[in-house]
Amino acid sequence: MPQFLLDNNHIAAAAAGGGAGAADETMTAKSRVTVVGSGNWGSVAAKLIASNTLKLNSFHDEVSMWVFEETLPTGEKLSQVINRTNENVKYLPGVKLGKNVVANPDLENAVKDANLLVFVTPHQFMEGICKRLVGKIRADAEAISLIKGMEVKREGPCMISTLITEQLGINCCVLMGANIANEIAVEKFSEATVGYRKNKEMAEKWVQLFNTSYFMVSPVQDVEGVELCGTLKNVVAIAAGLVDGLEMGNNTKAAIMRIGLREMMALSKLLFPSVKDSTFFESCGVADLITTCLGGRNRKCAEAFARNGGKRSFDELEAEMLQGQKLQGVSTAKEVYEVLNHRGWLELFPLFSTVHEICIARLPPIAIVNVKFK
Amino acid sequence: MPQFLLDNNHIAAAAAGGGAGAADETMTAKSRVTVVGSGNWGSVAAKLIASNTLKLNSFHDEVSMWVFEETLPTGEKLSQVINRTNENVKYLPGVKLGKNVVANPDLENAVKDANLLVFVTPHQFMEGICKRLVGKIRADAEAISLIKGMEVKREGPCMISTLITEQLGINCCVLMGANIANEIAVEKFSEATVGYRKNKEMAEKWVQLFNTSYFMVSPVQDVEGVELCGTLKNVVAIAAGLVDGLEMGNNTKAAIMRIGLREMMALSKLLFPSVKDSTFFESCGVADLITTCLGGRNRKCAEAFARNGGKRSFDELEAEMLQGQKLQGVSTAKEVYEVLNHRGWLELFPLFSTVHEICIARLPPIAIVNVKFK
């Protein structure tokens, strides 16, 4: 088809097939990917991406992965072990990442040549990382954030994609979905959603980069909707866990999940009128909600909380059950409550506000099913 | 508020409070309810309704319940035991229905005075029941169907609400939702959806009749959408059960449920262009799907089917696991497949068609996650 001749990537691809020297000559036309982060999900993302850059001519084979350096109990550096064994022995043991994944402990060095930046760190590190990256990235760089659970400040949510765009002056998409990293690592079938703002071609490039036979990615033009799903679902997971702990059965649990999904939609649309209902039918919406309410630590701790009749605090259960990890749902519920209170919307969101009031022991766990839902 | 003075029910209610003789005088203005069916869900429906008719002046207290007569092992008739003990000892043991529920084994006698008919029988009995009722019901009667799982014929679904309207010449709403009867019977929190065609006031009357503090009912103007949810979800439950049997994890299960929900929406809209997306966010949609894919016999048998690598047929597993009950999902999958094939839509519905092909052993269980979904 003639229009493809105008496509740089296509020309590069054609050229790359032309002989030994061709790859070097066309290198500048190929996209170079850096994954910023190397935890559990970051390592899986690197694996997905690395399998695609090898196959697709429009991407440079090598995938750079920034590693927050740690010294392992053996005395070795984590980045060195990853590069030697091709495995993130600490955060994704037993899974080969692909030989074209190169761990790099130097953040600035890891990003300097990349025009595709994949951010996948704990959300509290992003502000610091962005500050360090100002002026250190390529002018034509594009970003995608895989970071779930941005903060919700009193005035409204502080979107990670917005933080990246504002701090670094680059466009930023998001990728969210029902994505338990360890299941995708062993290539169990899953889906994800890429949310984009305007540039559909760019969204399709991200889809190309992530999509595999077992990881099916769809683009939707709704950054805020996609990103908010990833955060707000954790509040619903607390509610679902309470229902489990109260032994109310699947009926009640399904009802609470549905009401939670409705409140997720309603709040997202109040905060960002551009948010679309249809986004909540995507993997980032209903599917991620289901996964999180079936398994997941928010659900698990909330179940234990209800079983103890609310007599042991979430802080205490968290410390006991999560080995130092923090429960995102409890803090998000608090943040959401503050937004609702600040805007005078508490009565519009009985599930969200009741979850917070149960978390702080102002209401007993059973209150979750005694609310007058709209 | 003055406009209430124009409301017949309100006048009746006011009159009913006016003295001993008033109730008789205004009896004709009060609605009389008959529940046609007395199985597990029918008995729970009678209990819900009976609690409301006692409270609301616009309904006659007594709720008639048609019982398909059976002789119990004790030699007593089921209807007599229900009327003596106030309990359906066979289909809902241990739960008091309300003293104002009157079991009646004579169908024609049970319906003759009712202007509100609640149909809740196995779907295969409805054609026969309708034939028996022609000319035997009040001309001003209104109906609601609680029957899930109507047949899907080659040309398209044979809606029970349509059957009732066509055979009896009366308007028919539907009530569907995440409704495990035994959980509602013990008053665990749940929701349901009333689907109506045009008459919103009538829909609100049905909501009044069913709604309780633990059973929250919402009306939506989409009979077909609501009714199709109740049938098509059973096909998705088969898919979810296969994923469970294959031990693919919550991620894959959530993805399959989401894709199933999308196919439910797409097929409903192709068959009935009036069907609304928003209906699938109601209890009849996403919540019923979740309940059915978490518990339920379709899920359970499909799990066993996959665990046996498809080597034992659904017929065999059904016979072993369900004490003579039939699996709705397997037959619905077959019926849906015939519709899709007949209309040339097979490729548009990879999940629905794969479920059927797995059920008939044309494909192995693992095919459920190897499909190229759109």
Side-chain angles (χ1 to χ4, degrees):
Chain A
M1 284 184 284
Q3 71 270 28
F4 276 162
L5 295 176
L6 301 171
D7 180 329
N8 267 342
N9 290 333
H10 190 78
I11 294 170
D24 280 339
E25 282 163 22
T26 58
M27 198 181 281
T28 48
K30 289 195 180 201
S31 293
R32 262 188 187 274
V33 188
T34 292
V35 178
V36 179
S38 55
N40 188 229
W41 185 209
S43 302
V44 176
K47 175 183 188 273
L48 287 167
I49 291 169
S51 74
N52 281 326
T53 57
L54 283 184
K55 279 186 218 141
L56 302 168
N57 277 319
S58 50
F59 300 96
H60 202 281
D61 285 356
E62 190 180 302
V63 176
S64 182
M65 178 170 79
W66 173 60
V67 173
F68 180 81
E69 193 66 291
E70 302 180 46
T71 303
L72 298 175
T74 59
E76 282 181 296
K77 299 285 186 195
L78 177 57
S79 64
Q80 287 165 358
V81 178
I82 293 174
N83 286 333
R84 181 167 53 77
T85 63
N86 207 232
E87 215 179 293
N88 188 333
V89 291
K90 178 148 187 191
Y91 296 107
L92 191 64
V95 176
K96 295 290 174 193
L97 300 181
K99 288 188 176 161
N100 52 328
V101 173
V102 178
N104 187 340
D106 179 336
L107 176 62
E108 291 167 27
N109 186 268
V111 300
K112 74 178 171 30
D113 295 326
N115 61 327
L116 297 180
L117 297 170
V118 178
F119 289 98
V120 51
T121 68
H123 73 97
Q124 60 272 29
F125 296 161
M126 271 312 292
E127 214 163 329
I129 287 171
C130 281
K131 279 190 183 137
R132 285 176 58 189
L133 291 183
V134 173
K136 307 287 168 55
I137 58 168
R138 279 172 57 167
D140 65 345
E142 289 273 344
I144 193 164
S145 165
L146 276 56
I147 301 163
K148 288 182 182 178
M150 75 274 184
E151 284 166 65
V152 183
K153 299 192 173 163
R154 204 167 167 229
E155 317 73 56
C158 169
M159 317 290 284
I160 301 290
S161 61
T162 308
L163 176 76
I164 291 169
T165 294
E166 287 179 356
Q167 299 269 312
L168 302 177
I170 58 178
N171 182 37
C172 187
C173 292
V174 296
L175 182 143
M176 306 275 147
N179 297 332
I180 299 169
N182 288 330
E183 295 184 6
I184 301 166
V186 294
E187 308 195 357
K188 288 186 173 172
F189 176 73
S190 179
E191 295 183 297
T193 313
V194 163
Y196 67 97
R197 202 171 296 277
K198 278 185 192 148
N199 189 341
K200 191 169 185 200
E201 265 176 56
M202 193 56 228
E204 278 164 0
K205 196 163 185 177
W206 290 120
V207 169
Q208 268 198 314
L209 191 63
F210 282 94
N211 198 71
T212 70
S213 59
Y214 59 88
F215 191 69
M216 208 174 74
V217 187
S218 308
V220 305
Q221 189 174 7
D222 183 1
V223 173
E224 289 89 357
V226 174
E227 202 166 352
L228 278 164
C229 280
T231 296
L232 296 176
K233 58 135 207 241
N234 288 327
V235 183
V236 186
I238 298 275
L242 294 171
V243 172
D244 285 342
L246 294 164
E247 295 181 8
M248 301 294 287
N250 288 337
N251 237 3
T252 305
K253 187 168 178 180
I256 290 295
M257 287 167 67
R258 187 197 81 84
I259 293 167
L261 184 63
R262 291 293 287 252
E263 292 197 6
M264 286 167 60
M265 283 171 66
L267 181 56
S268 301
K269 287 163 74 175
L270 274 174
L271 293 170
F272 298 94
S274 62
V275 167
K276 296 171 183 166
D277 281 356
S278 57
T279 298
F280 297 82
F281 284 127
E282 299 293 336
S283 177
C284 63
V286 65
D288 194 11
L289 180 73
I290 291 171
T291 298
T292 311
C293 291
L294 293 187
R297 52 180 187 254
N298 289 290
R299 192 213 62 79
K300 190 175 152 192
C301 285
E303 181 181 9
F305 182 84
R307 281 199 198 287
N308 286 289
K311 284 178 195 128
R312 301 184 61 201
S313 72
F314 270 104
D315 280 343
E316 200 182 330
L317 293 166
E318 216 173 79
E320 184 178 300
M321 298 170 78
L322 300 182
Q323 291 94 39
Q325 284 184 297
K326 290 297 275 182
L327 268 190
Q328 221 126 41
V330 173
S331 56
T332 307
K334 180 173 183 285
E335 292 163 4
V336 166
Y337 190 91
E338 281 164 13
V339 173
L340 299 178
N341 194 28
H342 180 64
R343 304 226 183 180
W345 293 344
L346 278 174
E347 286 190 6
L348 297 175
F349 296 91
L351 186 135
F352 283 167
S353 44
T354 302
V355 167
H356 173 62
E357 292 184 337
I358 293 171
C359 287
I360 60 167
R362 193 185 291 163
L363 288 174
I366 189 73
I368 197 63
V369 292
N370 288 341
V371 186
K372 286 276 161 255
F373 295 112
K374 309 277 160 186
Chain B
M1 284 186 284
Q3 71 267 31
F4 277 162
L5 296 174
L6 301 170
D7 180 330
N8 266 343
N9 290 332
H10 190 77
I11 294 168
D24 280 339
E25 282 162 22
T26 58
M27 199 181 279
T28 48
K30 289 196 181 201
S31 293
R32 262 186 187 274
V33 188
T34 292
V35 178
V36 178
S38 56
N40 187 231
W41 185 209
S43 301
V44 176
K47 175 182 187 278
L48 286 167
I49 292 168
S51 74
N52 281 325
T53 57
L54 282 184
K55 278 185 219 145
L56 302 168
N57 278 319
S58 50
F59 301 97
H60 202 280
D61 285 355
E62 189 180 302
V63 176
S64 181
M65 177 170 80
W66 173 61
V67 173
F68 181 81
E69 193 65 291
E70 301 179 45
T71 304
L72 299 175
T74 58
E76 282 180 295
K77 299 285 185 194
L78 177 58
S79 64
Q80 286 165 357
V81 178
I82 293 174
N83 286 334
R84 181 168 52 78
T85 63
N86 207 232
E87 212 178 295
N88 187 334
V89 291
K90 179 149 186 191
Y91 297 106
L92 191 65
V95 175
K96 294 292 174 194
L97 301 182
K99 288 187 176 163
N100 50 329
V101 174
V102 178
N104 187 339
D106 179 337
L107 177 61
E108 292 167 27
N109 185 267
V111 300
K112 72 176 172 30
D113 297 325
N115 60 328
L116 298 179
L117 297 171
V118 177
F119 290 98
V120 52
T121 69
H123 73 98
Q124 59 272 28
F125 297 160
M126 271 312 293
E127 214 163 326
I129 288 172
C130 280
K131 279 190 183 134
R132 285 176 59 191
L133 291 184
V134 174
K136 306 288 168 52
I137 58 169
R138 280 171 56 166
D140 65 345
E142 290 272 344
I144 193 164
S145 165
L146 276 54
I147 302 164
K148 288 182 181 178
M150 74 275 184
E151 284 166 67
V152 183
K153 299 193 173 162
R154 204 165 166 230
E155 317 72 55
C158 169
M159 317 290 284
I160 301 289
S161 61
T162 309
L163 177 78
I164 292 169
T165 294
E166 287 178 355
Q167 299 268 315
L168 301 178
I170 58 177
N171 182 38
C172 187
C173 292
V174 297
L175 182 143
M176 306 277 147
N179 297 331
I180 300 169
N182 288 330
E183 294 184 6
I184 302 166
V186 294
E187 308 195 357
K188 288 184 174 173
F189 176 72
S190 181
E191 296 183 296
T193 314
V194 163
Y196 67 98
R197 203 171 295 277
K198 279 186 193 148
N199 189 339
K200 191 169 184 201
E201 264 176 58
M202 194 55 227
E204 278 164 359
K205 195 162 186 179
W206 289 120
V207 169
Q208 268 198 313
L209 191 62
F210 281 95
N211 197 72
T212 70
S213 59
Y214 59 90
F215 190 69
M216 207 175 73
V217 187
S218 308
V220 304
Q221 189 175 7
D222 184 0
V223 173
E224 288 90 355
V226 174
E227 201 166 353
L228 277 164
C229 280
T231 296
L232 296 177
K233 58 137 207 235
N234 287 326
V235 183
V236 186
I238 298 274
L242 294 172
V243 172
D244 284 342
L246 294 165
E247 295 180 9
M248 301 294 287
N250 289 338
N251 237 3
T252 306
K253 186 168 177 181
I256 291 295
M257 287 166 67
R258 186 198 82 86
I259 293 167
L261 184 64
R262 290 292 286 251
E263 293 198 5
M264 286 167 60
M265 282 171 66
L267 181 56
S268 301
K269 287 163 74 175
L270 274 174
L271 293 168
F272 298 94
S274 63
V275 167
K276 297 171 182 167
D277 281 356
S278 56
T279 298
F280 297 81
F281 284 125
E282 298 293 334
S283 178
C284 63
V286 64
D288 195 12
L289 181 72
I290 291 170
T291 298
T292 312
C293 290
L294 293 187
R297 52 181 189 251
N298 289 290
R299 193 213 62 78
K300 189 175 152 191
C301 285
E303 181 181 11
F305 182 84
R307 282 200 197 285
N308 286 289
K311 284 177 195 129
R312 300 185 61 201
S313 73
F314 270 103
D315 280 343
E316 200 181 330
L317 293 166
E318 216 173 80
E320 185 178 299
M321 299 170 77
L322 301 182
Q323 291 93 37
Q325 283 184 296
K326 290 297 273 182
L327 268 191
Q328 221 127 40
V330 173
S331 55
T332 306
K334 180 173 184 286
E335 292 162 4
V336 166
Y337 190 92
E338 282 164 12
V339 173
L340 299 177
N341 195 28
H342 180 64
R343 304 228 183 177
W345 294 343
L346 278 175
E347 286 190 7
L348 297 175
F349 296 91
L351 188 135
F352 282 167
S353 44
T354 302
V355 167
H356 173 62
E357 293 184 337
I358 292 171
C359 287
I360 60 167
R362 194 185 290 163
L363 287 174
I366 188 75
I368 196 65
V369 290
N370 289 339
V371 186
K372 286 277 160 255
F373 295 111
K374 310 279 160 186

